[in-house]
Amino acid sequence: MPDITRMPLAPSRFVALIGAAVAVAGTSVVAGPAVVAAASATPTVQSVALTSGHTAVTSSTSKKLVVQVTANQTQAQFTGQPTSGEVTVSLSTGSSSKSESHEWQFNNTDGALTVDSTGAGSLNVPNPAITPFGKIDLTITPVGDPTTTSCQGSPSTQTQPVTLAGTFYFDSQSTGSNAWGTVGSKANNTTFTFSTTNTVTTTYLNPSAPSCIDFGNVPCASSLFWQSGNEDISLSGAKSGTKGFIFGSRTTDIASPAGTQRIDSAFGTSKKLVLNTSGTAASLVVKANTNSGGSAKLSASKHSKPSSVDCKKSGKSMVETLTTWSNARYKNATKPLAVHEQIFGTIKVANNKQAQIIRTKLS
């Protein structure tokens, strides 16, 4: 599932629809060609990141969930500031057209992740940084050989497969008839093992790295995208062909422990979207379908200057034209548009002018 939980998306490019639900707008940025770097002087470490595999669990309330843990540690020699760390625990119902996900970001966890040059180490989150949500004390063990990417002869990243196991316990702190309860166990004699693939990725300071970014190929597709809201709460959606989805995102600051945030996100589907245009004006009505409810209308009086780019679809040369209606008005119907969640409430936005419509057409 694409990560679009942080803020409204940039109106630059579309990523293709994934399965029956997922189509998002954004710049398609992929790493340049991966090569094994030749041995050289020890590179400067910029940051280290741990990513666990998505692991199926059954919660204390019998919910079938998927859990993932990520952590990163930024090095002082890169930032010029004291080292900083962040640990994120994610619980979700999986990936589908009506999935739901919640991320808890613990930001005051400097030193929780310790990894040596081989990828071995631990993730041990101190109690003050995670209480009352749980306990994390995991051992990181490298397995197999690392993969290194380089740019202009200098290493950029090294990714080491690892096993990840130890003490893991997390309380969703949710209530009500659909509460998710807890996952894992805090007992010292119980070992929780994350499913493969788990990785430790070391990013090195490489001034040449920007020159190796590959912005990929133009998707070459007719698509329709809309969004409304701000960094704290937003709704967005897209259509490709006859399939459409609605994505809701909400960020909440948690009082304790200090610096903690929870990001709620959920998918629903929308009925067929139809964009009506008249000259430079446009209007779009979004009607909810599964896992959502209500409707809303986006309207704009003028679009920006369309941009076009050559692309290929099934080997045929075509032109993709992108048109953006910025500063559109977003207005809910009598029953506001909303995406449903099992925990922490539905996601909806108020009437506002922070909306936009983006369309790509092929010719």
Side-chain angles (χ1 to χ4, degrees), residues 151-172:
C151 178
Q152 297 188 14
S154 297
S156 296
T157 65
Q158 177 176 281
T159 301
Q160 172 67 58
V162 298
T163 60
L164 186 63
T167 301
F168 176 79
Y169 173 78
F170 195 80
D171 188 341
S172 67

Side-chain angles (χ1 to χ4, degrees), residues 116-146:
D116 65 20
S117 60
T118 70
S122 65
L123 176 62
N124 186 349
V125 184
N127 287 337
I130 197 171
T131 302
F133 287 95
K135 185 176 183 180
I136 300 177
D137 187 3
L138 302 168
T139 299
I140 305 167
T141 305
V143 290
D145 297 322

